[in-house]
Amino acid sequence: MALEQKEVGIYEGEGLNTQQVIHRALNVASEDNDFLENSAWLSAVREGYLELPEYTDLATVTNLPNLSRVKLVVALVKSCVRNELGSRLLELKDPTGSFWATLHYKACEEEIFPGIYDVGSCLILRKIVLFRPTRKSGYLNITLNNVQSVIQKSILD
């Protein structure tokens, strides 16, 4: 079984195999009820997003240089703040850490992606650009084209 595990491509040569990714997603998450009890997160894990070769966790995103394009991020919305321009500032969270993101106002339209900025929803994001205004700060710039899907948190959670 170990021989059949494929490598999961993480930037800068830090490869994790499938077993390590699932361990990180479930066992590390066992310390955090946001992941253990969240139906949206568990659905993303069951659908295999964390096993895809292009998956990048937020701890890895934290160390990427300015203007990096991140192929796939799977994260929960931890908090959301609206600005005057109609865009939103999201705090995204996965079992490895958290990171800030801006959500373009066109992606905020509720009828396009219901639940996109609801706390507890799980976002599946593709080809997102990382901006770093300073060396220590950074955010992911999420546009309409970056949102693959939104898995809403169940009312029963």
Side-chain angles (χ1 to χ4, degrees):
M1 193 164 143
L3 294 175
E4 294 176 1
Q5 292 175 349
K6 58 185 174 193
E7 287 295 313
V8 176
I10 304 297
Y11 290 97
E12 309 300 330
E14 295 179 25
L16 295 177
N17 63 34
T18 302
Q19 187 177 16
Q20 291 167 323
V21 171
I22 297 299
H23 170 73
R24 187 179 277 186
L26 293 176
N27 294 341
V28 173
S30 67
E31 302 169 7
D32 192 340
N33 286 342
D34 287 347
F35 300 98
L36 264 184
E37 298 173 358
N38 186 299
S39 61
W41 178 260
L42 295 174
S43 177
V45 170
R46 276 192 303 273
E47 291 178 26
Y49 285 110
L50 304 183
E51 296 181 50
L52 296 174
E54 60 269 19
Y55 168 73
T56 305
D57 60 44
L58 293 178
T60 303
V61 170
T62 302
N63 297 316
L64 295 175
N66 188 32
L67 300 178
S68 294
R69 189 167 291 272
V70 184
K71 292 181 181 178
L72 175 66
V73 169
V74 179
L76 291 179
V77 177
K78 183 177 179 182
S79 66
C80 176
V81 179
R82 186 180 184 141
N83 69 16
E84 309 81 42
L85 303 173
S87 298
R88 296 188 185 253
L89 181 64
L90 303 177
E91 184 177 6
L92 302 179
K93 181 178 180 180
D94 75 5
T96 66
S98 61
F99 204 77
W100 290 98
T102 59
L103 184 63
H104 190 269
Y105 75 93
K106 288 184 181 177
C108 290
E109 295 177 14
E110 189 69 26
E111 59 273 358
I112 297 173
F113 290 107
I116 192 164
Y117 47 80
D118 293 347
V119 172
S121 288
C122 186
L123 305 183
I124 313 300
L125 307 168
R126 294 212 179 253
K127 299 179 183 174
I128 316 151
V129 176
L130 169 66
F131 287 108
R132 290 198 174 281
T134 67
R135 222 183 256 188
K136 293 184 179 184
S137 69
Y139 62 91
L140 294 169
N141 185 41
I142 304 171
T143 65
L144 193 55
N145 293 331
N146 300 126
V147 181
Q148 177 178 325
S149 65
V150 176
I151 304 171
Q152 291 181 284
K153 183 178 178 182
S154 171
I155 296 171
L156 302 174
D157 286 352

